[in-house]
Amino acid sequence: MTQWSIREEAPPAGKDYVSVSLEKDQLYDGPLVLVNRDHPVRTLARNIVALPSGILQASNQEEPIISLEATCLAQLSSLIRACRASTKIAVVSGYRSLASQKRLYENSLRDNGEAFTESYVALPGASEHQTGLAVDVGIYDGELDYIRPSFPDQGAAAIFKRLAAKFGFIQRYSDNKTHLTGIAAELWHFRYVGSPHAELMEREGLCLEEYTDFVRQYAYGGKHLYIETNETLSEIYFAEASAPSVYVPVPSARGESWQLSGNNGDGYVVTAAYPKAGSRHG
């Protein structure tokens, strides 16, 4: 049985942090960037790579070659393998440029009308697909709808949804969060946010808008968030961005690794992973 514990507490006395210098544009990059109508995409996507031949790809003229951000793609590949669904689950859409999103939006307005388009197609500049961190998947049956692919709560799709958080993915849009996300429920749209954030969001029932606010509670200098599982101990905290170039504190002790993500708004989320052996905090 998987162990999972969450605690809020100040770092232990004597724990060392060092400051790393960041440029302002890094505020708009990383797996936890919030993208919606109020938080548009501010930088070009990085590390975009094409799907390998081992991942089933739905054929569509909108995306003749589907691509994703490299880490997102690697985790998606692992997730599909874990589901044993390489011949059942197809990737329908991945990275889209601003021009591609604009074309999709305008075509949908023409073909499907305003109400449908506002529910299921993000505004150009406000689409997660422009980050390379969002992927639409469907159960492959020869063809799949590009905007609303079939991904029911059964079979391989149900297994995918059950395992998604373990590999860093969340189902981004659900019925009960539409008032926050501005997008109708999309059973097929998954967003890579990384671990342990995906598991925590799932356990707490938080969409990314809510999680962005949630993490702000754990600002550097106060209580941090600690998550412990059978394998890992993670520390999560928030660092505010307040200048054109900022210095963000990160753990300095040996043995841990850390990652940093902007939130596309007012600060950075630091996620540190520690070895389980030794003291309680690493």
Side-chain angles (χ1 to χ4, degrees):
M1 183 176 180
T2 301
Q3 170 190 337
W4 179 277
S5 66
I6 305 172
R7 59 183 183 270
E8 307 168 357
E9 55 190 58
K15 181 175 175 61
D16 291 327
Y17 294 83
V18 295
S19 293
V20 295
S21 178
L22 303 176
E23 296 301 321
K24 187 68 173 180
D25 64 353
Q26 290 180 259
L27 182 62
Y28 313 117
D29 189 28
L32 289 171
V33 292
L34 174 63
V35 175
N36 56 28
R37 285 173 179 258
D38 298 323
H39 299 83
V41 176
R42 301 284 294 274
T43 61
L44 293 176
R46 303 179 186 180
N47 301 319
I48 301 298
V49 295
L51 265 63
S53 58
I55 295 182
L56 190 61
Q57 175 178 318
S59 176
N60 192 287
Q61 63 180 5
E62 292 289 344
E63 289 181 62
I65 299 176
I66 299 177
S67 303
L68 287 167
E69 188 275 334
T71 302
C72 171
L73 177 55
Q75 290 299 100
L76 176 66
S77 180
S78 296
L79 172 54
I80 293 174
R81 285 199 304 271
C83 296
R84 298 182 180 179
S86 60
T87 61
K88 299 175 184 176
I89 295 177
V91 176
V92 180
S93 182
Y95 166 73
R96 299 177 198 148
S97 67
L98 176 60
S100 295
Q101 187 66 25
K102 183 178 180 181
R103 183 169 59 250
L104 175 64
Y105 191 86
E106 292 174 347
N107 289 345
S108 183
L109 281 175
R110 181 195 65 213
D111 298 337
N112 305 310
E114 184 176 353
F116 176 96
T117 301
E118 289 185 350
S119 294
Y120 294 107
V121 184
L123 285 167
S127 171
E128 291 195 322
H129 284 283
Q130 290 174 232
T131 68
L133 297 168
V135 59
D136 293 346
V137 292
I139 296 298
Y140 187 72
D141 60 359
E143 62 179 64
L144 283 164
D145 186 280
Y146 182 68
I147 295 179
R148 293 196 301 173
S150 175
F151 206 60
D153 288 320
Q154 60 188 32
I159 298 172
F160 184 100
K161 293 173 186 180
R162 177 168 56 83
L163 297 180
K166 180 179 178 182
F167 292 87
F169 290 90
I170 56 169
Q171 183 182 319
R172 179 67 172 95
Y173 305 118
S174 58
D175 270 327
N176 63 339
K177 304 294 183 180
T178 297
H179 63 292
L180 297 171
T181 65
I183 299 291
E186 295 190 354
L187 303 179
W188 54 87
H189 181 104
F190 288 82
R191 163 67 189 272
Y192 180 73
V193 295
S195 181
H197 304 285
E199 297 99 318
L200 182 56
M201 292 172 68
E202 183 177 82
R203 285 172 176 267
E204 298 296 318
L206 302 175
C207 66
L208 188 53
E209 283 77 6
E210 293 170 309
Y211 190 69
T212 301
D213 290 335
F214 173 78
V215 173
R216 287 194 187 97
Q217 301 175 71
Y218 305 102
Y220 177 74
K223 290 184 176 180
H224 293 184
L225 191 64
Y226 292 90
I227 299 173
E228 188 168 3
T229 69
N230 299 68
E231 299 84 19
T232 60
L233 173 64
S234 300
E235 176 186 12
I236 299 170
Y237 58 94
F238 175 76
E240 185 178 1
S242 57
S245 61
V246 297
Y247 291 90
V248 174
V250 299
S252 62
R254 288 185 176 183
E256 84 279 357
S257 60
W258 55 267
Q259 294 182 328
L260 187 146
S261 174
N263 67 2
N264 201 22
D266 59 355
Y268 305 86
V269 180
V270 180
T271 309
Y274 300 92
K276 290 295 294 290
S279 66
R280 196 171 58 160
H281 293 295

